[in-house]
Amino acid sequence: MDTTLSEEEVMVRETARKFLEARCPTKLVRAMEKDEKGYPPDLWREAAELGWQGLALPEQYGGSGLPMTYLGLVMHEVGRALTPLPMLSTVTAALTIAAHGDTALCQEVLPKVVSGETILTWAFTEQDPRFLPETVRMRAVADGDHFVLTGTKLFVENFVAADQCLVVCRTSDTGLSVFLVDCRSAGISHRDLVTLAKDRQSEVTFNAVRVPRGRLVGGLNEGAAIAEGLIDRATVLLCAQMLGATRKDMEMAVEWSKFRKAFGQPIGAFQSLQHMCADMLMWVDGGDLLTYEALWKMDQGLPASVEVSQAKAFCNEKCQAVVRGCQVIHGGIGFIMEFDLQLWYRRVCAWTTRFGTAYEHRARIARALLDHPGTVILGQPVPVVAEA
Amino acid sequence: MDFGYTPEQQALRREVRAFIAEHVTEDVLAERGSSESNTGRGEGGAMKRLYEKVYERGWLGITYPKEYGGQGGDRMTQYIVEEEFTRVDIPVGMGGSGAPAIMAAGTEEQKQYYIPGLIKREISFALGFTEPHAGADLASLQCRAVRDGDEYVINGQKMYTSSAHMATHIYLMARTNPNLPKHRGISIFLFPMDTPGITVRPLWTMQNDPTAPIGTTYGHQRTNETFFEDVRIPAASLLGKENGGWRVGAMGLNLDRVGASRYLISVRRDEDIVNFVKLNSFDGYAPAKDPAIRDKIAELWIEAQVCRLMTMRSMSIVEHGGNFTYEGSAEKTWAPEHGVRTTEAIAQMLGPYGQLLNGSPHAVESGIFAHNLQGAFQSGINHGSTQVMRDQICRRGLDMPRK
Ligand SMILES: Cc1cc2nc3c(=O)[nH]c(=O)nc-3n(C[C@H](O)[C@H](O)[C@H](O)COP(=O)(O)OP(=O)(O)OC[C@H]3O[C@@H](n4cnc5c(N)ncnc54)[C@H](O)[C@@H]3O)c2cc1C
Ligand SMILES: Cc1cc2nc3c(=O)[nH]c(=O)nc-3n(C[C@H](O)[C@H](O)[C@H](O)COP(=O)(O)OP(=O)(O)OC[C@H]3O[C@@H](n4cnc5c(N)ncnc54)[C@H](O)[C@@H]3O)c2cc1C
């Protein structure tokens, strides 16, 4: 057991931080809020040169084969700088393809992800926002050597930037399947949502979209388990991203409290603000510890669903509380658009609403703790019980 | 003790509801949505006509004396009317108007001039308190007013003068004597916004793009910086005594704190989320059936009751002619923090729908819950932050030492 970073891990983090400090100023973040695609292609290429997209992908497809914890460290920095890149959706979809796609599909898609040529996303949620298999109504019906997809997906990240989208569809009354769909296929239309983060999310409608059988990722009707793995990876990496942003926000607020004066002293000298800041530090630290443990378990091939839910349930509420505290410490100026703080606040707020609410994640933990015979031991794996 | 409403008060409530059903028509709602404020001087005239009708009913300036255009009524009447109009987001109260301080400290001439205009919403004040280096510590303000014969000359800068671009007048706190201890060299001035030498610059907020829907907590799209350069005003613009402004201002703020406005922000949010959860489902998923969400809603509802009852307590104290020690501060801490807790809990209840802003496909109730998330915390910062309010609760309510 060692919760500190190794030299190599520190290097991964520092390299990413320095790169983004130089290449991702808030001016760029602001510009991309209004950009149609929401990301700058040259920065995406530079990220690929640093090996980010392929960091945790297998070496046989050009990736670096590094652990998820490393990817978590990079996503933490991506979040810290509010980097407007389609990283999260691309790496989660790519990891899912690497884990479940056949060799031909991996050969075709993954090297281009690694090189930065291909942007990916994924689509699970429909109208019912919960991450449960029964919420998927969109159908894929076999027709010769194709499947025909019909339905509407919501909250699809970076769809406007993506080339390919992993789509979770119903292929039988009880079975789901996952397809890799070309975003420009005939029959696809989309409407863009306006989110607190001002990033790119869309409602995507599939009207009898024909997808070749070879684009099936994993077995037919085996999609529920694949989707769960995908969502778990996305969720834990979102936690890392959210914690990076939240920690930076906290650092800015603490800095502010040192030089902003009221009643003849820095406001940071008032104990009520100090105690608030002490809580903030415990919360971001706690979130980090939960998140990296979950990532580490994934790397070990251990079940990590409960750990992912622990991290997300905690981050949803604590990151929200931290960024709210940062607004409070700043007083009126935090509300003003021209001042950068709001860029962090709005994104963290948006991220707390995605990939499962605190209620959902706590319910998942409670099922694992309570709906299983035997007693629990803190620090030992808890069995996960599927939704009844 | 009596926690009920009299038959007359219940009848009044019904009457106000009937009035709203009849007169708050589509054109009023449309105009309300398009005008940035509810000054009553809105573009289409529908809002202006509505205010005239509300005034004819005797529902504006209810607690003000008849000789100044008011009704000589009591606070509970005022409260009931205000509560009902809050549900359609039409302000009919005098909170934040400057009127309480003018009534308390103004000359006869000032009362005659300002109070009827404020009541009829023909006059409105921008509040010029905050400065770049004087926020929570308001008494350190530096904007200068220098006496010059029959005039004062104003120089300085104010921050976050929210309605300065729409207001007819400004209610300005300035330093008249820099040699006295900081609380004692301050005076208050009332003068028209079109006085030469005033420059107003916009400060756009998070709520500006997209525009927060009406009813949002701190939905201000815009506030301002206001600059004063050799602004000459008649000496009669002084409110109260020269160098006596702190007392007048503090009194005004305290009176502003009482009553409905804080709590009413919560009424809207608490009612809205309960009603939304009750009536809506997402493709068969009804959040109202989720035991965790039910528990949270019940918890927030209890908090809302405490908000309401603290407000009733403040009004009861004032009705008896008493003074607050800590009760106003308690109300001003509890209500904003409850508002934040509610707003953040709603975002978790709605999941990804909770992040959609006004105008987005699938936005819930025009995105008001997401916009509230951008503004709710602000109500704990303004008009005395919750940190400073807690200090006051300890000192005035519990007699705890300062150092
Ligand atoms: C069961 C027990 C075992 C202990 N064992 C040891 C031991 O082995 N070795 C040892 O050296 N000491 C020990 N202590 C002593 C302990 O460290 C002291 O109780 C502690 O430092 C507080 O000091 P105090 O009791 O004088 O309380 P005070 O210092 O008088 O504090 C009283 C209250 O005031 C608060 N307070 C004080 N200063 C501030 C401040 N600046 N801001 C906000 N609040 C403040 C405190 O938090 C506390 O709530 C023990 C105490 C207990 C109860
Ligand atoms: C939308 C909006 C509208 C506004 N409208 C108006 C208006 O119309 N007129 C007007 O005059 N002003 C207005 N304000 C200004 C508002 O009243 C100030 O923002 C508020 O008083 C806080 O001042 P500040 O922003 O300078 O923060 P600061 O005073 O710098 O405070 C920053 C933080 O320090 C904390 N702090 C300060 N002192 C202490 C202490 N003793 N103990 C513990 N913590 C402390 C505060 O609680 C706060 O969290 C508005 C502000 C906004 C955002």
Side-chain angles (χ1 to χ4, degrees), chain A residues 244-256:
Chain A
T246 305
R247 189 177 288 272
K248 170 70 178 174
D249 203 44
M250 174 186 76
E251 290 171 8
M252 292 189 292
V254 168
E255 264 323 294
W256 180 268

Side-chain angles (χ1 to χ4, degrees), chain A residues 256 260-263 267 270-273 276 325 327-333 335-336, chain B residues 126-138 158-163 205 218 220 222-223 378 380-388 391:
Chain A
W256 180 268
R260 174 76 183 170
K261 289 209 172 68
F263 304 98
I267 55 172
F270 289 112
Q271 201 172 42
S272 53
L273 289 200
M276 210 164 106
Q327 294 295 130
V328 167
I329 288 169
H330 277 81
I333 198 74
F335 194 50
I336 304 302
Chain B
L127 300 180
F129 295 104
T130 309
E131 297 180 4
H133 297 285
D137 180 12
L138 184 58
K158 291 289 169 182
M159 280 287 276
Y160 313 117
T161 37
S162 288
S163 58
T205 79
Y218 277 84
H220 307 53
R222 164 181 185 173
T223 174
Q378 204 64 54
I381 297 170
N382 291 355
H383 301 281
S385 73
T386 52
Q387 284 77 28
V388 175
D391 289 348

Side-chain angles (χ1 to χ4, degrees), chain A residues 27-48:
Chain A
K27 204 174 135 213
L28 179 71
V29 176
R30 286 173 182 273
M32 288 303 121
E33 287 194 351
K34 301 209 186 306
D35 185 84
E36 196 190 332
K37 301 224 152 162
Y39 81 102
D42 45 338
L43 191 64
W44 185 244
R45 272 191 301 278
E46 288 174 57

Side-chain angles (χ1 to χ4, degrees), chain A residues 69-80:
Chain A
T69 44
Y70 282 49
L71 186 55
L73 290 167
V74 169
M75 290 310 293
H76 188 276
E77 296 311 308
V78 164
R80 182 180 172 90

